[in-house]
Amino acid sequence: MIGDRYSLDREIGRGGMGAVWLGRDELLGRPVAIKRVGVMPGGSSPDLMRAEREARIAASLNHPNIVGIYDLAHDADQQYLVMEYVEGSTLAELVRERGPLPTREAARILSQAASALAAAHASQIVHRDVKPSNILVRSDGEVKLSDFGIARMTADPSLTQTGLVTGSPAYLAPEVASGTQATPASDVWSLGATLFHALSGAPPYDVGDNVLGALYQIVNEPPPRLPNPGEMAPVLLATMAHDPQRRWAMEDVARVLELLAHSDPDASPLPDPGPATPDVTALHRATPVGGTRALRPAPEPAAEPVPAPVEPPAPDRGVAPPARAARRRRPVLPLLVAALVVLLVGVIGALILTDDPQDEATPPGVATSSDPPSTAPSSEPTSATSSPSTAPSEEEIRTFVVGYLRTASKDPEAGFEMLTPKYQAESPEYDSFWGSVSNPRVDAFSADPETLVATYTYTYNLRGAGTKTEQVRLQLVQDDTGALLIDGAS
């Protein structure tokens, strides 16, 4: 018995921070999951401070997709977290047993995890260890996010110092792998890496015994891409973007995944942005902190698309006005690999890996293992054509137009790449116009999938001229991969 109240049945999971047992609350007569707090790597005694912090942070979050914390029980000099028992499997186990998940099932599971993380971020809490074995899936499909053991409140001092690496290596964001402090954007990357795992059947990085090598790869090399991501391409590109500022907010990730989870399985997939939304990610360079030299990424050799978040069907926000600027069309995806050799001067303060590189399970559920990764470079669309094999739906056209407006208003150079070469040549004032536009939002929208004509009314702010409202008619085409491009506007 623990604390004269909780009986232990059997161990159901184990990770770097402690073991998890199936137990019973004898007072309330219900099953519970009990985590015995372990010793931090390099420590000599149980990390009681971490246990108290995990209990306090997790208990402060009231969300249907977060494992509930019931109690922090004391027994002799040991502490135990008493948690909601979730009967089911971890996402890691599901993938290990069944292989890559179908797109909509992955979207359904990850949308719930993203919703939980969005709630945590709204409370100024960063999870810092998002991975498949911390996502529990019940038999009824409900998802629970667990293990806030290394989570921190952004306003509170962290129990780990800057320069120490925390989290599971295969899912670490580049800025965290380089030794800088985790932010909500770091959780976004980790969720994207988890989505990659769910869709491919393997983690995005093969860690094995070479942890430093994996960290170097995460920091310095372009993110791995699936060969055929389909309609998941925008989510993967906008979560696993090297520059944290180019990633979507977690609430946007949750919204888009929810839309994909409930989309028509017989409809054509969302168009792969390909070169239509080129990478406008600025080179992210980690800076040395706390006297420790952080790994510095080499320049990213290829442009990666970072699409704007998809908006739900309610009041639309952000659509593209008529394109107006012609410039020389940039190369589509020039893979100019010019990696800089990084000198590791000094040792990264300490490498605190809360789970073993093979991603063992820590939450109440089942221990998991990771398969070797399988990654391949993404293919590039070629020339535009108006006769693709599959026509997009009206919703897909709306998604493209919304994304175009957001992209063009934030980065005219990226928006310009969403035009066909012909229309680029007809748009001599594109940069000057879009460089003055902000906060575009759609008031009305309609589209004809057969003719690929989109008509919409939108309102935007024009620098020096105030608020403007226009009606626009876009003529779209598809290239031979199905990606949409703008071929004319009026």
Side-chain angles (χ1 to χ4, degrees), residues 234 248 252 255-256 259 270 308-312 395 398-399 402 406:
W248 288 351
D252 288 326
R255 184 186 306 114
V256 173
L259 288 172
L270 292 174
V310 179
E311 292 295 330
E395 178 61 23
R398 186 195 68 82
T399 296
V402 170
R406 285 194 162 202

Side-chain angles (χ1 to χ4, degrees), residues 46-420:
D47 187 1
L48 305 184
M49 186 182 298
R50 189 189 66 82
E52 293 175 358
R53 182 182 59 164
E54 178 176 359
R56 183 175 65 254
I57 288 178
S60 71
L61 297 173
N62 182 17
H63 191 278
N65 298 122
I66 294 178
V67 171
I69 297 292
Y70 297 150
D71 193 7
L72 181 61
H74 298 261
D75 190 81
D77 60 348
Q78 184 62 271
Q79 286 183 312
Y80 297 82
L81 283 175
V82 182
M83 303 172 287
E84 172 187 5
Y85 173 62
V86 180
E87 187 172 3
S89 304
T90 67
L91 176 58
E93 183 184 45
L94 286 180
V95 175
R96 188 175 68 246
E97 291 180 350
R98 296 166 45 189
L101 300 184
T103 295
R104 281 161 184 79
E105 182 176 5
R108 178 184 59 78
I109 293 172
L110 271 299
S111 67
Q112 296 180 64
S115 177
L117 288 165
H121 293 171
S123 297
Q124 306 300 309
I125 294 171
V126 181
H127 188 284
R128 300 203 298 171
D129 198 19
V130 179
K131 59 182 179 179
S133 66
N134 280 340
I135 296 175
L136 309 176
V137 185
R138 297 194 333 187
S139 57
D140 62 1
E142 185 177 17
V143 171
K144 297 280 187 176
L145 179 66
S146 72
D147 204 348
F148 282 78
I150 63 170
R152 67 181 296 273
M153 300 191 70
T154 56
D156 290 344
S158 176
L159 290 183
T160 54
Q161 299 174 346
T162 301
L164 304 185
V165 179
T166 59
S168 300
Y171 309 95
L172 283 179
E175 65 274 14
V176 178
S178 71
T180 60
Q181 194 174 83
T183 66
S186 307
D187 281 350
V188 172
W189 170 288
S190 298
L191 186 84
T194 299
L195 175 62
F196 183 104
H197 187 158
L199 295 173
S200 68
Y205 296 95
D206 184 9
V207 177
D209 296 327
N210 188 9
V211 175
L212 282 178
L215 295 180
Y216 176 90
Q217 186 180 10
I218 293 169
V219 173
N220 289 273
E221 297 182 4
R225 299 300 181 198
L226 296 178
N228 297 297
E231 57 196 346
M232 279 295 190
V235 183
L236 290 169
L237 292 170
T239 51
M240 296 184 71
H242 255 290
D243 187 344
Q245 295 183 356
R246 301 302 300 172
R247 297 173 202 157
W248 288 351
M250 190 63 78
E251 60 182 349
D252 288 326
V253 178
R255 184 186 306 114
V256 173
L257 289 174
E258 178 72 11
L259 288 172
L260 290 174
H262 295 91
S263 60
D264 182 358
D266 298 322
S268 56
L270 292 174
D272 186 338
T277 48
D279 186 337
V280 292
T281 304
L283 176 64
H284 170 63
R285 292 186 176 276
T287 53
V289 220
T292 302
R293 180 180 297 274
L295 295 173
R296 286 179 176 270
E300 295 187 29
E304 288 286 352
V306 182
V310 179
E311 292 295 330
D316 295 270
R317 291 177 299 169
V319 175
R324 315 184 178 180
R327 297 173 330 197
R328 183 174 56 86
R329 183 175 176 85
R330 296 182 305 167
V332 174
L333 278 175
L335 299 176
L336 306 176
V337 181
L340 301 178
V341 178
V342 174
L343 298 178
L344 298 178
V345 180
V347 179
I348 297 179
L351 195 59
I352 299 180
L353 301 174
T354 62
D355 283 300
D356 109 33
Q358 295 304 313
D359 191 27
E360 294 182 357
T362 59
V366 186
T368 63
S369 63
S370 300
D371 297 325
S374 174
T375 62
S378 58
S379 58
E380 297 180 11
T382 55
S383 60
T385 172
S386 58
S387 5
S389 57
T390 306
S393 66
E394 181 175 356
E395 178 61 23
E396 291 166 355
I397 294 175
R398 186 195 68 82
T399 296
F400 168 80
V401 172
V402 170
Y404 167 65
L405 175 58
R406 285 194 162 202
T407 299
S409 62
K410 292 182 178 180
D411 190 327
E413 186 177 2
F416 190 74
E417 292 294 336
M418 301 174 74
L419 279 55
T420 62

Side-chain angles (χ1 to χ4, degrees), residues 433-455:
F433 172 78
W434 279 109
S436 302
V437 170
S438 63
N439 194 30
R441 51 203 178 276
V442 173
D443 303 316
F445 180 87
S446 64
D448 184 347
E450 293 186 3
T451 62
L452 293 182
V453 171
T455 303

